[in-house]
PDB file of all heavy atoms in Angstrom:
ATOM      1  N   ILE A 166      -4.862  54.389 231.883  1.00  0.00           N
ATOM      2  CA  ILE A 166      -4.229  55.329 232.813  1.00  0.00           C
ATOM      3  C   ILE A 166      -4.694  56.740 232.474  1.00  0.00           C
ATOM      4  O   ILE A 166      -4.521  57.193 231.336  1.00  0.00           O
ATOM      5  CB  ILE A 166      -2.691  55.252 232.736  1.00  0.00           C
ATOM      6  CG1 ILE A 166      -2.212  53.838 233.049  1.00  0.00           C
ATOM      7  CG2 ILE A 166      -2.059  56.269 233.691  1.00  0.00           C
ATOM      8  CD1 ILE A 166      -0.717  53.622 232.809  1.00  0.00           C
ATOM      9  N   THR A 167      -5.279  57.433 233.449  1.00  0.00           N
ATOM     10  CA  THR A 167      -5.597  58.853 233.249  1.00  0.00           C
ATOM     11  C   THR A 167      -4.419  59.680 233.755  1.00  0.00           C
ATOM     12  O   THR A 167      -3.683  59.254 234.646  1.00  0.00           O
ATOM     13  CB  THR A 167      -6.869  59.263 234.000  1.00  0.00           C
ATOM     14  OG1 THR A 167      -6.606  59.291 235.413  1.00  0.00           O
ATOM     15  CG2 THR A 167      -8.017  58.314 233.698  1.00  0.00           C
ATOM     16  N   GLY A 168      -4.271  60.877 233.180  1.00  0.00           N
ATOM     17  CA  GLY A 168      -3.107  61.689 233.551  1.00  0.00           C
ATOM     18  C   GLY A 168      -1.817  60.989 233.199  1.00  0.00           C
ATOM     19  O   GLY A 168      -0.814  61.075 233.915  1.00  0.00           O
ATOM     20  N   ALA A 169      -1.818  60.282 232.064  1.00  0.00           N
ATOM     21  CA  ALA A 169      -0.716  59.391 231.706  1.00  0.00           C
ATOM     22  C   ALA A 169       0.586  60.120 231.423  1.00  0.00           C
ATOM     23  O   ALA A 169       1.653  59.503 231.429  1.00  0.00           O
ATOM     24  CB  ALA A 169      -1.106  58.548 230.491  1.00  0.00           C
ATOM     25  N   GLY A 170       0.528  61.430 231.169  1.00  0.00           N
ATOM     26  CA  GLY A 170       1.746  62.160 230.867  1.00  0.00           C
ATOM     27  C   GLY A 170       2.326  62.901 232.048  1.00  0.00           C
ATOM     28  O   GLY A 170       3.373  63.547 231.925  1.00  0.00           O
ATOM     29  N   GLY A 171       1.688  62.808 233.232  1.00  0.00           N
ATOM     30  CA  GLY A 171       2.203  63.476 234.414  1.00  0.00           C
ATOM     31  C   GLY A 171       3.359  62.717 235.031  1.00  0.00           C
ATOM     32  O   GLY A 171       3.804  61.684 234.513  1.00  0.00           O
ATOM     33  N   SER A 172       3.850  63.204 236.156  1.00  0.00           N
ATOM     34  CA  SER A 172       5.016  62.588 236.797  1.00  0.00           C
ATOM     35  C   SER A 172       4.746  61.139 237.187  1.00  0.00           C
ATOM     36  O   SER A 172       5.541  60.244 236.887  1.00  0.00           O
ATOM     37  CB  SER A 172       5.415  63.392 238.042  1.00  0.00           C
ATOM     38  OG  SER A 172       5.687  64.722 237.704  1.00  0.00           O
ATOM     39  N   ILE A 173       3.624  60.896 237.866  1.00  0.00           N
ATOM     40  CA  ILE A 173       3.265  59.538 238.258  1.00  0.00           C
ATOM     41  C   ILE A 173       2.734  58.769 237.053  1.00  0.00           C
ATOM     42  O   ILE A 173       3.100  57.613 236.822  1.00  0.00           O
ATOM     43  CB  ILE A 173       2.215  59.561 239.381  1.00  0.00           C
ATOM     44  CG1 ILE A 173       2.763  60.283 240.610  1.00  0.00           C
ATOM     45  CG2 ILE A 173       1.795  58.139 239.740  1.00  0.00           C
ATOM     46  CD1 ILE A 173       4.012  59.672 241.176  1.00  0.00           C
ATOM     47  N   GLY A 174       1.871  59.398 236.272  1.00  0.00           N
ATOM     48  CA  GLY A 174       1.277  58.720 235.124  1.00  0.00           C
ATOM     49  C   GLY A 174       2.304  58.228 234.127  1.00  0.00           C
ATOM     50  O   GLY A 174       2.171  57.124 233.586  1.00  0.00           O
ATOM     51  N   SER A 175       3.338  59.019 233.873  1.00  0.00           N
ATOM     52  CA  SER A 175       4.343  58.611 232.886  1.00  0.00           C
ATOM     53  C   SER A 175       5.166  57.432 233.387  1.00  0.00           C
ATOM     54  O   SER A 175       5.516  56.536 232.616  1.00  0.00           O
ATOM     55  CB  SER A 175       5.251  59.788 232.529  1.00  0.00           C
ATOM     56  OG  SER A 175       5.903  60.294 233.681  1.00  0.00           O
ATOM     57  N   GLU A 176       5.465  57.403 234.687  1.00  0.00           N
ATOM     58  CA  GLU A 176       6.195  56.259 235.233  1.00  0.00           C
ATOM     59  C   GLU A 176       5.289  55.031 235.304  1.00  0.00           C
ATOM     60  O   GLU A 176       5.738  53.902 235.058  1.00  0.00           O
ATOM     61  CB  GLU A 176       6.744  56.593 236.620  1.00  0.00           C
ATOM     62  CG  GLU A 176       7.531  55.477 237.289  1.00  0.00           C
ATOM     63  CD  GLU A 176       8.804  55.065 236.552  1.00  0.00           C
ATOM     64  OE1 GLU A 176       9.279  55.847 235.706  1.00  0.00           O
ATOM     65  OE2 GLU A 176       9.312  53.961 236.824  1.00  0.00           O
ATOM     66  N   LEU A 177       4.011  55.237 235.614  1.00  0.00           N
ATOM     67  CA  LEU A 177       3.048  54.132 235.539  1.00  0.00           C
ATOM     68  C   LEU A 177       2.988  53.557 234.133  1.00  0.00           C
ATOM     69  O   LEU A 177       2.995  52.337 233.935  1.00  0.00           O
ATOM     70  CB  LEU A 177       1.652  54.632 235.928  1.00  0.00           C
ATOM     71  CG  LEU A 177       1.136  54.351 237.324  1.00  0.00           C
ATOM     72  CD1 LEU A 177      -0.182  55.072 237.550  1.00  0.00           C
ATOM     73  CD2 LEU A 177       0.977  52.856 237.568  1.00  0.00           C
ATOM     74  N   THR A 178       2.950  54.445 233.147  1.00  0.00           N
ATOM     75  CA  THR A 178       2.918  54.012 231.747  1.00  0.00           C
ATOM     76  C   THR A 178       4.126  53.145 231.433  1.00  0.00           C
ATOM     77  O   THR A 178       4.007  52.067 230.831  1.00  0.00           O
ATOM     78  CB  THR A 178       2.894  55.236 230.818  1.00  0.00           C
ATOM     79  OG1 THR A 178       1.671  55.958 231.032  1.00  0.00           O
ATOM     80  CG2 THR A 178       2.991  54.822 229.358  1.00  0.00           C
ATOM     81  N   ARG A 179       5.291  53.601 231.849  1.00  0.00           N
ATOM     82  CA  ARG A 179       6.528  52.863 231.552  1.00  0.00           C
ATOM     83  C   ARG A 179       6.513  51.480 232.197  1.00  0.00           C
ATOM     84  O   ARG A 179       6.824  50.466 231.551  1.00  0.00           O
ATOM     85  CB  ARG A 179       7.738  53.658 232.049  1.00  0.00           C
ATOM     86  CG  ARG A 179       9.091  53.065 231.653  1.00  0.00           C
ATOM     87  CD  ARG A 179      10.233  53.782 232.328  1.00  0.00           C
ATOM     88  NE  ARG A 179      10.272  53.532 233.757  1.00  0.00           N
ATOM     89  CZ  ARG A 179      10.762  52.424 234.304  1.00  0.00           C
ATOM     90  NH1 ARG A 179      11.238  51.448 233.535  1.00  0.00           N
ATOM     91  NH2 ARG A 179      10.777  52.266 235.607  1.00  0.00           N
ATOM     92  N   GLN A 180       6.151  51.422 233.492  1.00  0.00           N
ATOM     93  CA  GLN A 180       6.204  50.149 234.193  1.00  0.00           C
ATOM     94  C   GLN A 180       5.098  49.194 233.744  1.00  0.00           C
ATOM     95  O   GLN A 180       5.330  47.985 233.614  1.00  0.00           O
ATOM     96  CB  GLN A 180       6.130  50.383 235.709  1.00  0.00           C
ATOM     97  CG  GLN A 180       7.370  51.064 236.276  1.00  0.00           C
ATOM     98  CD  GLN A 180       7.481  50.907 237.777  1.00  0.00           C
ATOM     99  OE1 GLN A 180       7.008  49.929 238.351  1.00  0.00           O
ATOM    100  NE2 GLN A 180       8.121  51.870 238.426  1.00  0.00           N
ATOM    101  N   VAL A 181       3.900  49.711 233.517  1.00  0.00           N
ATOM    102  CA  VAL A 181       2.802  48.852 233.055  1.00  0.00           C
ATOM    103  C   VAL A 181       3.119  48.297 231.666  1.00  0.00           C
ATOM    104  O   VAL A 181       2.904  47.109 231.387  1.00  0.00           O
ATOM    105  CB  VAL A 181       1.472  49.629 233.045  1.00  0.00           C
ATOM    106  CG1 VAL A 181       0.386  48.853 232.294  1.00  0.00           C
ATOM    107  CG2 VAL A 181       1.010  49.915 234.472  1.00  0.00           C
ATOM    108  N   LEU A 189      -2.971  48.891 226.291  1.00  0.00           N
ATOM    109  CA  LEU A 189      -2.706  50.004 227.197  1.00  0.00           C
ATOM    110  C   LEU A 189      -3.290  51.278 226.595  1.00  0.00           C
ATOM    111  O   LEU A 189      -2.949  51.660 225.476  1.00  0.00           O
ATOM    112  CB  LEU A 189      -1.202  50.178 227.428  1.00  0.00           C
ATOM    113  CG  LEU A 189      -0.786  51.331 228.351  1.00  0.00           C
ATOM    114  CD1 LEU A 189      -1.431  51.201 229.727  1.00  0.00           C
ATOM    115  CD2 LEU A 189       0.744  51.388 228.494  1.00  0.00           C
ATOM    116  N   LEU A 191      -3.979  55.369 227.132  1.00  0.00           N
ATOM    117  CA  LEU A 191      -3.469  56.532 227.851  1.00  0.00           C
ATOM    118  C   LEU A 191      -4.366  57.738 227.604  1.00  0.00           C
ATOM    119  O   LEU A 191      -4.706  58.040 226.461  1.00  0.00           O
ATOM    120  CB  LEU A 191      -2.037  56.854 227.385  1.00  0.00           C
ATOM    121  CG  LEU A 191      -1.031  55.693 227.397  1.00  0.00           C
ATOM    122  CD1 LEU A 191       0.318  56.174 226.900  1.00  0.00           C
ATOM    123  CD2 LEU A 191      -0.920  55.078 228.787  1.00  0.00           C
ATOM    124  N   ILE A 192      -4.730  58.418 228.680  1.00  0.00           N
ATOM    125  CA  ILE A 192      -5.548  59.621 228.592  1.00  0.00           C
ATOM    126  C   ILE A 192      -4.794  60.785 229.224  1.00  0.00           C
ATOM    127  O   ILE A 192      -4.269  60.665 230.335  1.00  0.00           O
ATOM    128  CB  ILE A 192      -6.899  59.431 229.313  1.00  0.00           C
ATOM    129  CG1 ILE A 192      -7.783  58.443 228.547  1.00  0.00           C
ATOM    130  CG2 ILE A 192      -7.624  60.754 229.490  1.00  0.00           C
ATOM    131  CD1 ILE A 192      -9.107  58.142 229.235  1.00  0.00           C
ATOM    132  N   ASP A 193      -4.734  61.888 228.510  1.00  0.00           N
ATOM    133  CA  ASP A 193      -4.153  63.111 229.068  1.00  0.00           C
ATOM    134  C   ASP A 193      -4.756  64.305 228.331  1.00  0.00           C
ATOM    135  O   ASP A 193      -5.111  64.189 227.148  1.00  0.00           O
ATOM    136  CB  ASP A 193      -2.625  63.118 228.928  1.00  0.00           C
ATOM    137  CG  ASP A 193      -1.959  64.020 229.963  1.00  0.00           C
ATOM    138  OD1 ASP A 193      -2.026  65.257 229.815  1.00  0.00           O
ATOM    139  OD2 ASP A 193      -1.378  63.483 230.928  1.00  0.00           O
ATOM    140  N   ASN A 198       2.356  66.149 226.817  1.00  0.00           N
ATOM    141  CA  ASN A 198       2.474  65.070 227.800  1.00  0.00           C
ATOM    142  C   ASN A 198       2.045  63.731 227.218  1.00  0.00           C
ATOM    143  O   ASN A 198       2.670  62.691 227.464  1.00  0.00           O
ATOM    144  CB  ASN A 198       1.624  65.385 229.035  1.00  0.00           C
ATOM    145  CG  ASN A 198       2.253  66.442 229.921  1.00  0.00           C
ATOM    146  OD1 ASN A 198       3.360  66.895 229.671  1.00  0.00           O
ATOM    147  ND2 ASN A 198       1.532  66.854 230.944  1.00  0.00           N
ATOM    148  N   ALA A 202       4.400  60.423 226.724  1.00  0.00           N
ATOM    149  CA  ALA A 202       4.033  59.133 227.300  1.00  0.00           C
ATOM    150  C   ALA A 202       3.980  58.049 226.236  1.00  0.00           C
ATOM    151  O   ALA A 202       4.418  56.910 226.463  1.00  0.00           O
ATOM    152  CB  ALA A 202       2.681  59.241 228.009  1.00  0.00           C
ATOM    153  N   THR A 205       7.168  56.422 225.303  1.00  0.00           N
ATOM    154  CA  THR A 205       7.571  55.367 226.234  1.00  0.00           C
ATOM    155  C   THR A 205       6.848  54.062 225.941  1.00  0.00           C
ATOM    156  O   THR A 205       7.395  52.977 226.160  1.00  0.00           O
ATOM    157  CB  THR A 205       7.256  55.807 227.682  1.00  0.00           C
ATOM    158  OG1 THR A 205       7.888  57.056 227.940  1.00  0.00           O
ATOM    159  CG2 THR A 205       7.738  54.781 228.687  1.00  0.00           C
ATOM    160  N   PHE A 235      -6.022  53.115 236.389  1.00  0.00           N
ATOM    161  CA  PHE A 235      -5.225  53.903 237.322  1.00  0.00           C
ATOM    162  C   PHE A 235      -5.582  55.370 237.091  1.00  0.00           C
ATOM    163  O   PHE A 235      -5.297  55.918 236.022  1.00  0.00           O
ATOM    164  CB  PHE A 235      -3.730  53.683 237.094  1.00  0.00           C
ATOM    165  CG  PHE A 235      -3.281  52.272 237.350  1.00  0.00           C
ATOM    166  CD1 PHE A 235      -3.020  51.406 236.292  1.00  0.00           C
ATOM    167  CD2 PHE A 235      -3.123  51.804 238.640  1.00  0.00           C
ATOM    168  CE1 PHE A 235      -2.610  50.109 236.516  1.00  0.00           C
ATOM    169  CE2 PHE A 235      -2.714  50.498 238.878  1.00  0.00           C
ATOM    170  CZ  PHE A 235      -2.455  49.650 237.820  1.00  0.00           C
ATOM    171  N   HIS A 236      -6.201  55.981 238.091  1.00  0.00           N
ATOM    172  CA  HIS A 236      -6.674  57.364 237.940  1.00  0.00           C
ATOM    173  C   HIS A 236      -5.651  58.314 238.566  1.00  0.00           C
ATOM    174  O   HIS A 236      -5.662  58.587 239.766  1.00  0.00           O
ATOM    175  CB  HIS A 236      -8.034  57.521 238.606  1.00  0.00           C
ATOM    176  CG  HIS A 236      -8.593  58.903 238.513  1.00  0.00           C
ATOM    177  ND1 HIS A 236      -8.437  59.707 237.408  1.00  0.00           N
ATOM    178  CD2 HIS A 236      -9.322  59.640 239.411  1.00  0.00           C
ATOM    179  CE1 HIS A 236      -9.029  60.877 237.615  1.00  0.00           C
ATOM    180  NE2 HIS A 236      -9.569  60.852 238.819  1.00  0.00           N
ATOM    181  N   ALA A 237      -4.745  58.814 237.719  1.00  0.00           N
ATOM    182  CA  ALA A 237      -3.683  59.708 238.181  1.00  0.00           C
ATOM    183  C   ALA A 237      -3.939  61.161 237.812  1.00  0.00           C
ATOM    184  O   ALA A 237      -3.231  62.054 238.290  1.00  0.00           O
ATOM    185  CB  ALA A 237      -2.334  59.260 237.601  1.00  0.00           C
ATOM    186  N   ALA A 238      -4.921  61.433 236.957  1.00  0.00           N
ATOM    187  CA  ALA A 238      -5.185  62.801 236.508  1.00  0.00           C
ATOM    188  C   ALA A 238      -5.661  63.656 237.676  1.00  0.00           C
ATOM    189  O   ALA A 238      -6.585  63.270 238.400  1.00  0.00           O
ATOM    190  CB  ALA A 238      -6.234  62.797 235.400  1.00  0.00           C
ATOM    191  N   LYS A 241      -2.658  69.426 241.123  1.00  0.00           N
ATOM    192  CA  LYS A 241      -2.020  69.102 242.407  1.00  0.00           C
ATOM    193  C   LYS A 241      -1.174  70.220 242.992  1.00  0.00           C
ATOM    194  O   LYS A 241      -0.728  70.112 244.134  1.00  0.00           O
ATOM    195  CB  LYS A 241      -1.131  67.865 242.228  1.00  0.00           C
ATOM    196  CG  LYS A 241       0.047  68.104 241.298  1.00  0.00           C
ATOM    197  CD  LYS A 241       0.991  66.924 241.258  1.00  0.00           C
ATOM    198  CE  LYS A 241       2.244  67.264 240.469  1.00  0.00           C
ATOM    199  NZ  LYS A 241       3.236  66.187 240.497  1.00  0.00           N
ATOM    200  N   ILE A 279      -5.011  57.724 242.728  1.00  0.00           N
ATOM    201  CA  ILE A 279      -3.769  58.279 243.263  1.00  0.00           C
ATOM    202  C   ILE A 279      -4.147  59.476 244.135  1.00  0.00           C
ATOM    203  O   ILE A 279      -4.635  60.492 243.638  1.00  0.00           O
ATOM    204  CB  ILE A 279      -2.822  58.745 242.146  1.00  0.00           C
ATOM    205  CG1 ILE A 279      -2.662  57.668 241.071  1.00  0.00           C
ATOM    206  CG2 ILE A 279      -1.486  59.175 242.723  1.00  0.00           C
ATOM    207  CD1 ILE A 279      -2.142  56.364 241.574  1.00  0.00           C
ATOM    208  N   PHE A 312       0.021  59.186 248.728  1.00  0.00           N
ATOM    209  CA  PHE A 312       1.447  59.448 248.587  1.00  0.00           C
ATOM    210  C   PHE A 312       1.890  60.552 249.535  1.00  0.00           C
ATOM    211  O   PHE A 312       1.119  61.439 249.893  1.00  0.00           O
ATOM    212  CB  PHE A 312       1.766  59.960 247.174  1.00  0.00           C
ATOM    213  CG  PHE A 312       1.703  58.916 246.115  1.00  0.00           C
ATOM    214  CD1 PHE A 312       1.744  59.286 244.786  1.00  0.00           C
ATOM    215  CD2 PHE A 312       1.625  57.585 246.410  1.00  0.00           C
ATOM    216  CE1 PHE A 312       1.695  58.344 243.779  1.00  0.00           C
ATOM    217  CE2 PHE A 312       1.566  56.627 245.417  1.00  0.00           C
ATOM    218  CZ  PHE A 312       1.608  57.017 244.097  1.00  0.00           C
ATOM    219  N   VAL A 350       9.875  58.240 242.721  1.00  0.00           N
ATOM    220  CA  VAL A 350       8.798  57.972 241.770  1.00  0.00           C
ATOM    221  C   VAL A 350       8.660  56.473 241.521  1.00  0.00           C
ATOM    222  O   VAL A 350       7.551  55.960 241.327  1.00  0.00           O
ATOM    223  CB  VAL A 350       9.011  58.748 240.450  1.00  0.00           C
ATOM    224  CG1 VAL A 350      10.220  58.231 239.685  1.00  0.00           C
ATOM    225  CG2 VAL A 350       7.762  58.699 239.583  1.00  0.00           C
ATOM    226  N   VAL A 354       5.104  54.387 242.149  1.00  0.00           N
ATOM    227  CA  VAL A 354       4.417  53.596 241.131  1.00  0.00           C
ATOM    228  C   VAL A 354       4.324  52.136 241.540  1.00  0.00           C
ATOM    229  O   VAL A 354       3.299  51.474 241.327  1.00  0.00           O
ATOM    230  CB  VAL A 354       5.116  53.760 239.774  1.00  0.00           C
ATOM    231  CG1 VAL A 354       4.622  52.720 238.779  1.00  0.00           C
ATOM    232  CG2 VAL A 354       4.881  55.169 239.244  1.00  0.00           C
TER     233      VAL A 354
END
Side-chain angles (χ1 to χ4, degrees):
I166 302 172
T167 71
S172 302
I173 300 301
S175 59
E176 180 63 18
L177 259 173
T178 296
R179 187 188 69 79
Q180 292 198 29
V181 168
L189 179 57
L191 309 179
I192 290 177
D193 204 286
N198 285 356
T205 305
F235 296 103
H236 180 37
K241 65 174 188 175
I279 311 302
F312 287 169
V350 68
V354 167

